[in-house]
Amino acid sequence: NQEEIILLATGSLQPDAYAYALKKEVKSQSGLSWSLGTIHTILYRLENKGLLQSEMGGATGKRGGRSKRLYSLTSKGLTMVDQLHQIRQNMWSKLSTNLQK
């Protein structure tokens, strides 16, 4: 799920989670090559759902004086990540048990 991947990547990159860094992290961790437009769309959706929050970071010379929007998990987003982790753990456990039969 794209949203889950972005939530996890955001949490792992905080406090430096911005669109381009997320794009690189997704590629590095999953091999998926998503466009920045795709990343921005997912970030917008997650922010609207209250799972992420954003703020403008400071401008840097490296970016031609432009600021970047930094994202972080909200408490609701962190709860969602924890729930997803637990669901996956439970399902993997069941799968592993079923494969050993």
Side-chain angles (χ1 to χ4, degrees), residues 49-79:
K49 290 179 178 181
L51 301 172
L52 293 180
Q53 60 190 8
S54 68
E55 63 182 16
M56 293 306 291
T60 63
K62 186 176 181 182
R63 293 177 41 87
R66 294 183 325 230
S67 301
K68 54 187 161 190
R69 183 165 294 280
L70 300 171
Y71 292 87
S72 60
L73 295 172
T74 62
S75 59
K76 183 177 174 181
L78 185 55
T79 298

Side-chain angles (χ1 to χ4, degrees), residues 7-76:
L7 283 172
L8 291 170
T10 300
S12 69
L13 291 176
Q14 283 180 206
D16 297 316
Y18 59 99
Y20 185 72
L22 289 164
K23 176 180 169 46
K24 287 179 19 181
E25 182 72 1
V26 168
K27 175 74 171 170
S28 160
Q29 296 298 321
S30 69
L32 298 169
S33 186
W34 295 341
S35 71
L36 279 175
T38 297
I39 302 283
H40 281 288
T41 298
I42 298 165
L43 288 168
Y44 179 77
R45 246 188 349 246
L46 291 170
E47 197 166 13
N48 280 341
K49 290 179 178 181
L51 301 172
L52 293 180
Q53 60 190 8
S54 68
E55 63 182 16
M56 293 306 291
T60 63
K62 186 176 181 182
R63 293 177 41 87
R66 294 183 325 230
S67 301
K68 54 187 161 190
R69 183 165 294 280
L70 300 171
Y71 292 87
S72 60
L73 295 172
T74 62
S75 59
K76 183 177 174 181

